[in-house]
Amino acid sequence: MKSLYGRISALYLLLALVLAGLCAWLSIGLFVRFHNEVDQKVSLKLAQTFFMHMQPTLEAGAYQAAVDEAAELGTMFDPALELYLLDAEGVILAHSPPPEKVLVDRVSLEPIRQFLAKAPLPIEGDAPCLEMDRRIFSAYSFEQQGGEEAFVYVIIRGKAAGTAGEMVRDSYIVRTAGLTFLVVVGLTALVGLMLFGLLTRRFRRLVGVGERFEAGDFSPRIEDESDDELGRLARLFNRMGGTITAQMEALRRTDAQRRDLVANLAHDLRTPLSAVRGYAERLRDRSLPAAEQTRHADLVLTNADRAVTLVRRLNDLSRLDARQSAPLFEPFSLAELVQDLAHKFAPDAERNELDLVADYSPDLPMIEGDVGLVDRMVSNLLENAIRYT
């Protein structure tokens, strides 16, 4: 049940069983209704037939005797028939079942009037021997002596016949239907499980490739050219894998560049620091003239400044790389910046016996940028050019 296949399969089987049970319940209900409809239609004139047999005795006013005679004749063909004689209020005037089995003294006339009005069948009415149950019936209306309406009321399947549900349960139709439902549910479950297995196999491929990615292998891809959601998900995963691979390659290149930068900075720092150490050791020699000591001290300060400049540049680079310090963009004149830098580095160029010339067009446009960073960039280029030319 922890897998997607298990959960889908369990839900599918549960749904199949519920639907099969619902279909069986509806089928049995429809069969019972159909059975009642057929029986009631066959017995449509049954009450009228009983009345014609009882009419002479009824005219003599012997209601119970008339019912007993008719019931004796009727039960010879169907022992489950129950015959009742009702007045205009539904009160039972006479009945064929034994008195101890009759549980009520009146029945509702509404179903009887529907039957006589030829409403759609089946129609169920009160069963006096079954207080909480209703049965199909046949009815006929006639006039008593004195002109009052009365009814012959025949329960077609009385208490002795059992319920329609009991008859259905014992029917071969129910056994056949039950077997059919079991076969249908079994075949449906088998086909459904096979289809779900094929469907979730594609999910399992996705999970397998994802686990390889988690383990650090970014090379696998999913081959799925279908146009459904899983196919689009597979292609999205492949594009994502390509993006991750490119980013990892970029990170490896950046890491290599960072290592080279650290190595270069270490090399650049070694030169001024070695010079500082050398000049500092010579300053410990008390026999040096004062002018020589001053020159060595100036050289120590110069190399220390160079080391501080390198460290400051490294710190600026790290802050920019971490997005802790954003460049401040503003318009400035590139011509003025070049002229200022030329004046700044002119003494260094003269000491190295170099000519530093600022050659630029006087109508250079204004540019957008961080003037401090551009100044530092060009200064670094000029410093390296003067030092190594």
Side-chain angles (χ1 to χ4, degrees), residues 302 306 341-356 379 382-389:
T302 299
R306 288 176 60 191
L341 291 174
H343 289 302
K344 176 181 176 181
F345 285 94
D348 292 338
E350 290 178 2
R351 281 194 296 270
N352 287 273
E353 300 180 352
L354 298 173
D355 292 330
L356 180 59
S379 297
L382 289 173
E383 184 179 351
N384 288 334
I386 291 171
R387 183 183 305 167
Y388 296 110
T389 298

Side-chain angles (χ1 to χ4, degrees), residues 217-237:
D217 182 7
F218 303 111
S219 60
R221 295 293 184 269
I222 303 171
E223 296 183 2
D224 194 333
E225 300 299 329
S226 60
D227 292 329
D228 58 8
E229 289 80 359
L230 284 180
R232 294 198 295 270
L233 178 61
R235 290 189 289 275
L236 177 63
F237 185 90

Side-chain angles (χ1 to χ4, degrees), residues 59-308:
E59 290 176 355
Y63 294 157
Q64 187 61 50
V67 168
D68 290 341
E69 292 175 4
E72 183 178 359
L73 178 63
T75 54
M76 291 175 59
F77 301 97
D78 188 355
L81 291 177
E82 295 178 4
L83 178 61
Y84 299 90
L85 194 63
L86 311 176
D87 66 8
E89 301 298 327
V91 176
I92 299 175
L93 301 177
H95 50 80
S96 62
E100 65 273 10
K101 293 186 177 181
V102 179
L103 305 178
V104 295
D105 58 1
R106 69 171 59 219
V107 298
S108 173
L109 295 180
E110 181 63 25
I112 296 175
R113 298 194 184 281
Q114 292 179 7
F115 179 86
L116 296 176
K118 298 183 178 180
L121 302 178
I123 301 174
E124 294 182 341
D126 295 340
C129 291
L130 300 167
E131 188 175 6
M132 302 300 293
D133 200 0
R134 297 169 68 84
R135 297 295 176 90
I136 57 174
F137 61 90
S138 177
Y140 181 73
S141 174
F142 67 96
E143 289 186 1
Q144 302 182 64
Q145 294 178 358
E148 291 187 0
E149 186 179 26
F151 303 93
V152 177
Y153 183 57
V154 182
I155 300 295
I156 297 173
R157 286 197 303 269
K159 186 175 181 180
T163 64
E166 293 171 348
M167 295 175 62
V168 170
R169 281 198 302 270
D170 296 334
S171 172
Y172 77 94
I173 296 178
V174 175
R175 293 194 297 271
T176 304
L179 181 60
T180 302
F181 280 126
L182 289 177
V183 172
V184 169
V185 170
L187 290 177
T188 303
L190 179 61
V191 173
L193 293 178
M194 292 175 61
L195 292 177
F196 290 145
L198 293 175
L199 177 64
T200 54
R201 184 177 63 181
R202 298 165 68 190
F203 278 108
R204 290 194 293 271
R205 276 207 308 266
L206 281 171
V207 172
V209 174
E211 289 175 346
R212 292 179 63 181
F213 261 70
E214 183 183 18
D217 182 7
F218 303 111
S219 60
R221 295 293 184 269
I222 303 171
E223 296 183 2
D224 194 333
E225 300 299 329
S226 60
D227 292 329
D228 58 8
E229 289 80 359
L230 284 180
R232 294 198 295 270
L233 178 61
R235 290 189 289 275
L236 177 63
F237 185 90
N238 291 338
R239 291 195 296 270
M240 181 185 68
T243 301
I244 292 175
T245 302
Q247 290 176 346
M248 293 298 296
E249 185 62 30
L251 285 175
R252 282 193 287 268
R253 288 196 302 268
T254 301
D255 187 61
Q257 293 172 356
R258 196 180 302 276
R259 288 196 297 269
D260 292 341
L261 175 62
V262 172
N264 292 333
L265 284 172
H267 179 269
D268 290 342
L269 281 172
R270 189 181 301 116
T271 300
L273 291 177
S274 298
V276 168
R277 180 180 178 85
Y279 290 125
E281 288 177 349
R282 295 189 65 182
L283 283 174
R284 296 176 65 182
D285 186 359
R286 301 297 182 180
S287 62
L288 287 176
E292 190 71 15
Q293 290 183 3
T294 300
R295 189 176 71 84
H296 287 340
D298 290 340
L299 290 172
V300 168
L301 291 174
T302 299
N303 284 282
D305 289 340
R306 288 176 60 191
V308 170

